[in-house]
Amino acid sequence: MAELPLEDGTLWYETRGDGRPLVFIHGGWMNGQAWRPQVDRFDDDYEVVTFDVRGHGQTGATEADQYSVELFADDLEALLAHLDLEAPLLCGLSLGSMVVQEFMDRHPDRAAGAILGGAVRSMPPLDMPEGLKPFMSPLPALTTSLSLTGSKTTFRSMLCSIRATTGERWLSVNPEIQAQALDAVDEIGRDEFRKVFDALYRYEPSNLSHVETPTLVVHGEQEAPLVKRQGRQLISEVGGAEHLELSDSGHLVNLDRPNAFNTASETFLETASAA
């Protein structure tokens, strides 16, 4: 791992391989290790970059009082500049997909291609009347839960609520992968968990109809229906975007079906790189 100093902390990242830059951004309350099956697949042909988003993994806590998807995108831009990476291929999962969308909104034609796994545009994944969202924030209840039970138990409660709503296993169809995800959550402090949740909840996505980046949206079969609907909205906005749904997989689609995810990504990346 290597370090990138920030004004209010240190961003930990790792590079492997040589070739076109391929940057992976993990999901909320996870870390760069969640991309291990993809790193092992692509580091022979690409310069693969993973990093731990602030609040997560080795990067850990930073001095910022408040996080935002925009701030995470600022960090991505700083890392790309630090590594002097032009026309990167970007791959984000869940929260990471939001960061990639924010980057594409700012730079409609800078990325050579984008893969959005478990692609979600907002949390909750539905349109809410303007001005109402702050008054419906679950943050006070979440803060209480974090103070009483900690990050892992709070996250597990969130999973139970989502499963009760969707009737699906949602996060992962594989108990081992779900357990690994919970272990990653357990490493995150209460304050950092809250700041990440707040960043997700406050994010207001932009219309991406001006984006020219070749884009692949990948969802698992057991993804939440509202998230899938947001994926369809995303595809309708980004011209030429493609969609793939993988069976026997949930939100962590790159871990539930690593071989299928890698094969589809490889085909897409080859086309995007050629373009």
Side-chain angles (χ1 to χ4, degrees):
M1 298 286 287
E3 298 181 5
L4 171 62
L6 304 172
E7 290 185 0
D8 52 6
T10 301
L11 192 72
W12 284 72
Y13 69 92
E14 182 178 13
T15 62
R16 279 177 48 178
D18 188 32
R20 292 290 302 275
L22 173 57
V23 183
F24 290 96
I25 306 100
H26 62 77
W29 307 294
M30 300 188 72
N31 55 62
Q33 293 299 312
W35 294 110
R36 191 54 50 193
Q38 286 67 53
V39 173
D40 292 342
R41 174 69 172 266
F42 292 109
D43 66 352
D44 284 340
D45 301 306
Y46 296 87
E47 179 183 359
V48 177
V49 181
T50 57
F51 67 97
D52 292 344
V53 175
R54 63 171 73 212
H56 302 77
Q58 299 258 21
T59 294
T62 65
E63 295 176 6
D65 293 331
Q66 189 176 66
Y67 292 161
S68 66
V69 172
E70 292 86 352
L71 178 61
F72 299 151
D74 290 344
D75 292 343
L76 171 61
E77 291 183 342
L79 181 60
L80 295 177
H82 175 70
L83 296 174
D84 195 24
L85 300 182
E86 298 293 334
L89 297 155
L90 303 175
C91 183
L93 179 79
S94 191
L95 177 151
S97 80
M98 286 182 171
V99 175
V100 174
Q101 290 171 61
E102 176 66 22
F103 182 90
M104 292 194 299
D105 181 39
R106 299 178 183 184
H107 311 284
D109 58 358
R110 180 178 170 188
I115 301 173
L116 306 177
V120 62
R121 306 206 65 189
S122 65
M123 189 176 75
L126 48 81
D127 294 330
M128 300 178 68
E130 185 176 355
L132 182 62
K133 195 172 185 179
F135 297 100
M136 298 183 64
S137 173
L139 195 60
L142 180 87
T143 301
T144 300
S145 176
L146 287 167
S147 65
L148 294 174
T149 66
S151 298
K152 185 174 183 179
T153 300
T154 297
F155 187 75
R156 186 183 284 114
S157 296
M158 290 169 56
L159 294 184
C160 291
S161 298
I162 294 172
R163 183 166 186 175
T165 302
T166 66
E168 304 286 2
R169 284 172 283 182
W170 184 68
L171 184 67
S172 172
V173 301
N174 187 324
E176 292 185 4
I177 291 174
Q178 180 148 320
Q180 292 170 9
L182 285 168
D183 287 342
V185 174
D186 199 31
E187 297 177 359
I188 297 175
R190 290 174 171 86
D191 288 343
E192 296 303 296
F193 188 107
R194 177 188 56 78
K195 286 156 67 175
V196 171
F197 183 94
D198 185 47
L200 288 166
Y201 187 78
R202 288 186 298 103
Y203 185 59
E204 296 290 344
S206 300
N207 185 289
L208 299 180
S209 58
H210 61 297
V211 171
E212 302 176 7
T213 304
T215 302
L216 172 65
V217 176
V218 186
H219 284 122
E221 179 185 25
Q222 296 203 31
E223 180 61 85
L226 289 175
V227 173
K228 289 184 181 180
R229 187 175 72 175
Q230 284 198 334
R232 292 192 293 270
Q233 293 172 345
L234 179 61
I235 292 166
S236 70
E237 289 181 14
V238 181
E242 306 172 34
H243 182 252
L244 174 66
E245 182 172 311
L246 295 179
S247 62
D248 301 319
S249 56
H251 190 57
L252 303 182
V253 62
N254 69 304
L255 295 174
D256 277 348
R257 295 288 307 280
N259 291 334
F261 185 90
N262 289 349
T263 298
S265 298
E266 182 175 29
T267 300
F268 172 79
L269 291 172
E270 288 175 352
T271 303
S273 296

